[in-house]
Amino acid sequence: MIQQKIRHDPATALIRAVLSLARGDAALEEHRGTTWASATFTGMRHVIRLRFEGGQAVTTAHWLTRILPEHEFTMAGHLVADIAVAETHRRDEGTPAVTLIIEALTVEAD
């Protein structure tokens, strides 16, 4: 029997986890990922843009902004080393909306 280490996609896992936290109130507008490495770790830097429209969704966006930096993510094969909301863009006229730009660093876990 051949054993092979399964590599899990950190981008997909992170997007799924963040959207799950958003409770269905967010739409993924963009994800950009670039490889990253230090002397001891390898991983990926992520930029995620989420859009929240409507009163309840805007409330969820504000809640997500508060809890995201301290949230403990569970991702097979990777750790979220750092995550934060880097930018917030709010629209108040018409239907209220918020766009969050989230930056994260995931590293491979052995």
Side-chain angles (χ1 to χ4, degrees), residues 75-89:
M75 294 174 29
H78 292 85
L79 302 170
V80 177
D82 189 35
I83 189 164
V85 175
E87 296 178 37
T88 302
H89 304 278

Side-chain angles (χ1 to χ4, degrees), residues 5 27 31 49 96:
K5 184 176 180 181
H31 171 271
R49 185 171 64 218

Side-chain angles (χ1 to χ4, degrees), residues 4 23 33 79 90:
Q4 182 179 15
R23 304 173 182 159
L79 302 170
R90 185 179 176 119

Side-chain angles (χ1 to χ4, degrees), residues 7 35-44 78 105-110:
R7 293 192 47 111
T35 57
W36 172 90
S38 71
T40 54
F41 297 103
T42 59
M44 180 177 277
H78 292 85
L105 173 64
T106 56
V107 295
E108 291 182 11
D110 290 327

Side-chain angles (χ1 to χ4, degrees), residues 2-106:
I2 299 173
Q3 290 188 347
Q4 182 179 15
K5 184 176 180 181
I6 298 172
R7 293 192 47 111
H8 298 276
D9 175 22
T12 301
L14 181 62
I15 290 166
R16 284 183 179 160
V18 171
L19 288 175
S20 177
L21 283 173
R23 304 173 182 159
D25 287 334
L28 175 66
E29 289 190 333
E30 180 182 18
H31 171 271
R32 291 186 318 262
T34 56
T35 57
W36 172 90
S38 71
T40 54
F41 297 103
T42 59
M44 180 177 277
R45 288 198 176 278
H46 307 265
V47 177
I48 300 170
R49 185 171 64 218
L50 299 179
R51 179 139 180 95
F52 297 79
E53 285 199 41
Q56 176 59 45
V58 168
T59 300
T60 300
H62 293 302
W63 173 81
L64 187 62
T65 299
R66 286 192 314 274
I67 67 101
L68 197 59
E70 301 302 320
H71 183 74
E72 300 258 347
F73 289 87
T74 303
M75 294 174 29
H78 292 85
L79 302 170
V80 177
D82 189 35
I83 189 164
V85 175
E87 296 178 37
T88 302
H89 304 278
R90 185 179 176 119
R91 183 186 76 202
D92 292 317
E93 63 278 347
T95 302
V98 170
T99 300
L100 300 181
I101 309 296
I102 298 167
E103 295 181 355
L105 173 64
T106 56

